[in-house]
Amino acid sequence: MVITGDTRIYGLIGDPVEHSLSPLMHNAAFKELNLNCVYIPFHVRSTELSRAVKGLQSLGISGFNVTIPHKIPIVKYLDEVEKEASNIGAINTVAIQKGKLLGYNTDGTGAYRALRAAGSDPRDKNVTILGAGGAARAVAFHLAPLSRNLVILNRTRKKAVSLALELHKAGWDVTGRGLTPQTLSEEVPETDILINATSLGMYPEVDKTPVGRDLIHPKMTVFDIVYDPPQTTLLQAANEAGAKSIGGLQMLVYQGVLAFEIWTGKTPSMKTMTRAIEEHARRSL
Ligand code: NAP
């Protein structure tokens, strides 16, 4: 692309950022829509967050994604935070408009869109979320108002119980329990949609899975938000058990689509963004 005086700059702040797939997705979509925009990863250490945010603002950057470890600490530097992001307490997308920093979290909506696109609408379904970390919180706040029954199971039981309590205060009945062989055997058979939002199964521990094939039934949907590797041990178990399986790359692309829409007001092609990531994965093999 040709960078000109009026090229709009978007980016990502995090530590690390080297392996992020977001520059590939966004730059491919800018190119296809012929937008004079570029997306750049910025490696920002925690001690530099405040200065980096001020710098991005003064340089006239148009918007940026936020990743680990800044998703929570960034909140205090923002002028406005959208309601769902405020409930979640974490930000993954910032738009800079007229010098003001506006914070969003597109992970929950991204997960919802991935489910719907696969024909597994969570409305009026029994949903079980494994995990109570940042991603699980985003998914839980988005799905709690839609599902019939939401159960959260987490290794650290206290975090599952306290997330369920937060959701209860926001008006939804949610159960929080520990993640143990017993709770899994009690909850999973009743589940229509099982969502793994733990980091179990993520590279390099690719052989791990929170749930074995024996508990998965053919009528359920198994959604693993882990995207590295794209085909996790949990998804393989779901396929073997005859269940529908959805991988984390879908959610990754949808949360990127939503950020792109917030920044530009335009809808990028899901296909283009997905292809950009898949081509990269093929080149890296
Ligand atoms: P996080 O805030 O660090 O939370 C990690 C979660 O995993 C916690 O609930 C933790 O339980 C649980 N966990 C970790 N190791 C475990 C183990 N050995 N056994 C059982 N539970 C374990 O991380 P996060 O940001 O939520 O990310 C979680 C995963 O989602 C990562 O793989 C990330 O790449 C993926 N993700 C995907 C997308 C997407 O677009 N597809 C978006 C965001 C995140 P404790 O509370 O007990 O520690």
Side-chain angles (χ1 to χ4, degrees):
M1 79 168 285
V2 180
I3 306 270
T4 58
D6 56 0
T7 300
R8 291 165 75 94
I9 302 172
Y10 296 88
L12 163 74
I13 60 167
D15 179 18
V17 288
E18 293 88 321
H19 301 292
S20 171
L21 298 172
S22 295
L24 297 164
M25 289 196 295
H26 287 291
N27 286 320
F30 288 145
K31 189 173 171 195
E32 184 177 66
L33 291 170
N34 211 13
L35 297 176
N36 187 7
C37 303
V38 65
Y39 184 105
I40 303 165
F42 298 105
H43 182 193
V44 174
R45 293 204 169 82
S46 287
T47 49
E48 290 298 315
L49 181 62
S50 154
R51 279 153 38 108
V53 172
K54 284 199 188 95
L56 292 167
Q57 207 171 4
S58 351
L59 290 171
I61 303 292
S62 302
F64 55 95
N65 284 131
V66 184
T67 187
I68 289 168
H70 308 315
K71 283 182 163 191
I72 296 171
I74 188 86
V75 175
K76 57 179 174 290
Y77 303 111
L78 304 179
D79 296 298
E80 280 174 39
V81 175
E82 175 234 6
K83 187 160 179 268
E84 186 162 294
S86 163
N87 280 337
I88 298 163
I91 302 294
N92 75 346
T93 301
V94 175
I96 308 184
Q97 284 168 10
K98 296 186 183 138
K100 286 213 155 141
L101 295 158
L102 318 174
Y104 303 84
N105 192 313
T106 63
D107 278 341
T109 317
Y112 174 61
R113 284 212 197 168
L115 281 166
R116 282 200 36 179
S120 295
D121 197 320
R123 270 170 222 277
D124 298 322
K125 295 282 177 0
N126 293 335
V127 177
T128 299
I129 298 176
L130 310 179
R137 289 180 62 83
V139 177
F141 270 100
H142 200 85
L143 299 193
L146 306 175
S147 55
R148 182 193 314 141
N149 185 32
L150 180 62
V151 177
I152 296 163
L153 305 180
N154 192 49
R155 176 178 63 177
T156 309
R157 180 181 166 275
K158 221 166 79 181
K159 272 171 70 182
V161 172
S162 101
L163 175 54
L165 196 67
E166 276 182 64
L167 288 156
H168 184 75
K169 282 186 188 148
W172 307 296
D173 253 340
V174 174
T175 306
R177 307 181 70 186
L179 174 59
T180 65
Q182 185 175 339
T183 56
L184 283 171
S185 67
E186 285 166 10
E187 302 292 350
V188 176
E190 304 301 319
T191 296
D192 301 309
I193 300 177
L194 174 71
I195 304 174
N196 176 37
T198 74
S199 43
L200 266 176
M202 192 172 95
Y203 181 84
E205 298 189 286
V206 297
D207 293 335
K208 295 209 168 141
T209 176
V211 179
R213 184 187 160 170
D214 50 325
L215 284 181
I216 301 172
H217 58 79
K219 285 194 178 153
M220 72 198 282
T221 294
V222 177
F223 177 18
D224 195 344
I225 77 160
V226 170
Y227 56 82
D228 182 15
Q231 183 68 6
T232 59
T233 300
L234 174 61
L235 293 180
Q236 280 164 24
N239 290 336
E240 283 165 21
K244 182 185 281 185
S245 67
I246 308 170
L249 276 182
Q250 287 282 317
M251 170 175 162
L252 183 76
V253 177
Y254 274 115
Q255 63 77 31
V257 165
L258 289 154
F260 194 99
E261 286 173 349
I262 288 167
W263 292 330
T264 66
K266 296 188 188 328
T267 299
S269 150
M270 177 79 192
K271 228 180 183 170
T272 299
M273 285 181 140
T274 308
R275 203 185 309 128
I277 295 178
E278 285 174 352
E279 271 171 15
H280 172 79
R282 270 198 296 277
R283 281 200 304 271
S284 317
L285 284 175

